[in-house]
Amino acid sequence: MLHYPELPLGSDLIDAELPGLDGVPVRLSSFSEPLLAVVFMCNHCPYVKGSIAEVVALSQRFAGQVAFVGINPNDYERYPEDSPQAMREFAQQHGIRFPYLLDESQEVARAYQAQRTPEVFLFDRQRKLRYHGRVNDTPKNPETVTEHTLELALQALLAGQEPPTAQAPALGCSIKWKPGYEPAVQIQR
């Protein structure tokens, strides 16, 4: 069984400053909302395409309570659909109003030990990791969703409760790493 290391629950926010769609840098620690959802995503992944409407709806519904930040870590040299220009088009097409940032060096994705798109890291007011994983149970097929896992975590944390599920495996495409940047994999028996 392959095992990828994960950022442990309770970890502090890993701060970073990355360029937004307009080229202006955005710092993750700059948000004042009680919760911060860092979503590793991209443009071409069918799992992102299938769940982006839910992410956008949550960002609007919880505006002022939850800051959403999208981060595209994919190697757009090999996957041009994830280029900065394509990011702008994707954001416009899907009504993304939250910052959508480019992790060109892939250092932020590596620091978070992110593996998939979409993959959510949800931090509380103290900027401690309280939820990690998927948007919902079938992100590729929105019409068959039976569990809105991220929404349940948001509701619980805003109510001062523990998320019903603190970790739910991210379902999506693997991050498209630059050659030599792939994460270390361990084999568990």
Side-chain angles (χ1 to χ4, degrees), residues 47-150:
Y47 295 88
V48 173
K49 289 178 180 179
S51 60
I52 193 63
E54 182 170 344
V55 173
V56 169
L58 290 172
S59 73
Q60 293 168 349
R61 180 173 156 206
F62 291 103
Q65 298 175 296
V66 183
F68 278 76
V69 177
I71 298 177
N72 176 5
N74 280 357
D75 177 4
Y76 66 84
E77 296 290 326
R78 293 189 308 141
Y79 296 87
E81 309 104 304
D82 291 327
S83 72
Q85 177 58 37
M87 289 171 65
R88 288 188 281 280
E89 293 165 5
F90 186 83
Q92 184 175 15
Q93 177 185 2
H94 295 282
I96 296 172
R97 302 282 177 259
F98 53 82
Y100 187 16
L101 313 177
L102 178 62
D103 181 15
E104 191 163 8
S105 71
Q106 301 185 318
E107 289 178 14
V108 177
R110 287 173 61 90
Y112 275 79
Q113 299 176 27
Q115 297 297 320
R116 307 242 169 253
T117 59
E119 184 170 353
V120 181
F121 294 81
L122 180 59
F123 295 88
D124 65 14
R125 186 179 300 277
Q126 289 74 40
R127 296 304 186 244
K128 300 286 186 187
L129 182 62
R130 300 292 298 280
Y131 171 77
H132 170 226
R134 65 190 185 205
V135 174
N136 60 52
D137 62 344
T138 59
K140 191 174 177 183
N141 301 303
E143 63 281 351
T144 64
V145 172
T146 60
E147 181 183 279
H148 298 273
T149 321
L150 173 58

Side-chain angles (χ1 to χ4, degrees), residues 7 13-15 28 38 40 108-114 121 123:
L7 192 66
L13 172 71
I14 299 170
D15 200 12
L28 296 180
V38 176
F40 287 89
V108 177
R110 287 173 61 90
Y112 275 79
Q113 299 176 27
F121 294 81
F123 295 88

Side-chain angles (χ1 to χ4, degrees), residues 1-14:
M1 184 100 169
L2 297 179
H3 174 72
Y4 295 90
E6 291 184 354
L7 192 66
L9 290 174
S11 294
D12 291 325
L13 172 71
I14 299 170

